[in-house]
Amino acid sequence: MRVLILGPQGSGKGTQAARIAEASGTPHVATGDILRAAVADGTALGREVAPILDRGDLVPDELMVGLIRERLAVEDSFVLDGFPRTLAQAEALDAMLDEIDKALDTVLLLEVSDEESTRRLLGRAAAEGRADDTPEAIANRLRLYHELTEPVVERYRQRGSLVEIDGERSMDEVFSAIANALERSQVTG
Ligand code: ADP
């Protein structure tokens, strides 16, 4: 199963991606987690991206594409969370999948309003203390989502491969909507 999960910050995409991965025994490839682990380990990559993450800016496309290319070389199936975030990344992903003759089964979009996103992220800031959950970094991340990631959403919508899920419900309700969508795509795909 090759699934892509898109949605703004605070849409619950990380949580849902982890649940889909666990339920289906598919690796969860979360770019934010990979980058934060590199920062925590103090690797060269981590030192390079730490200030970018703190500001809520995007890591350069080339670096992200290289990172995903390495993962796709070893994973046959995946729940991809946090990539692609720009049109250049989406084009690179298409090319990589073409090269290995594989396609995505499902592209999910978790929809939540900016108000709800901001409310959830500020709540998480209090609970988890993530460095990029400051009001400034949150506003920057949402701005970049609208500017650079929404065109990616549009690209998949135009292809007819987007499944839109209302993310403003409880975690369990969202998960069962996703499970239904995945089941349908297995049946039809
Ligand atoms: P969120 O969706 O809440 O911003 P993530 O954990 O997905 O959280 O990402 C955290 C940070 O990691 C982003 O703000 C960005 O700096 C960096 N990042 C993750 N994925 C990408 C990507 N595909 N392209 C560029 N930067 C990325």
Side-chain angles (χ1 to χ4, degrees):
M1 183 171 78
R2 282 178 291 276
V3 176
L4 216 158
I5 183 159
L6 300 167
Q9 288 73 15
S11 59
K13 108 189 121 58
T15 309
Q16 298 295 344
R19 278 182 76 166
I20 305 165
E22 158 126 37
S24 59
T26 308
H28 177 198
V29 178
T31 49
D33 290 350
I34 296 171
L35 297 171
R36 278 186 294 276
V39 172
D41 292 344
T43 63
L45 170 69
R47 287 195 300 276
E48 183 177 350
V49 302
I52 302 177
L53 263 63
D54 284 356
R55 289 193 301 270
D57 282 336
L58 290 183
V59 170
D61 287 333
E62 280 160 40
L63 212 161
M64 294 310 302
V65 169
L67 214 143
I68 290 298
R69 183 183 296 282
E70 275 173 30
R71 288 305 286 261
L72 293 199
V74 294
E75 302 310 0
D76 185 48
S77 61
F78 50 79
V79 180
L80 191 52
D81 160 13
F83 185 97
R85 253 180 164 89
T86 64
L87 278 177
Q89 293 180 14
E91 281 159 16
L93 178 63
D94 278 351
M96 284 186 256
L97 289 170
D98 265 359
E99 248 171 61
I100 52 177
D101 208 16
K102 285 175 183 153
L104 298 170
D105 298 301
T106 312
V107 182
L108 299 166
L109 172 66
L110 281 189
E111 295 187 292
V112 294
S113 65
D114 279 4
E115 295 69 42
E116 179 64 11
S117 286
T118 307
R119 202 180 61 75
R120 290 182 183 179
L121 293 176
L122 290 172
R124 183 171 79 187
E128 291 176 19
R130 232 175 83 166
D132 60 352
D133 281 344
T134 61
E136 296 74 26
I138 290 172
N140 193 35
R141 282 151 64 210
L142 284 173
R143 179 182 66 77
L144 291 171
Y145 178 81
H146 291 304
E147 192 179 313
L148 300 174
T149 310
E150 263 170 9
V152 174
V153 171
E154 217 34 61
R155 180 183 165 95
Y156 289 111
R157 181 179 284 126
Q158 274 168 19
R159 258 187 218 177
S161 53
L162 194 69
V163 180
E164 298 176 56
I165 309 262
D166 171 7
E168 295 205 1
R169 296 172 291 173
S170 74
M171 268 190 320
D172 285 344
E173 284 170 316
V174 173
F175 182 66
S176 76
I178 290 176
N180 283 335
L182 292 180
E183 217 162 280
R184 276 198 307 276
S185 75
Q186 302 281 314
V187 173
T188 55

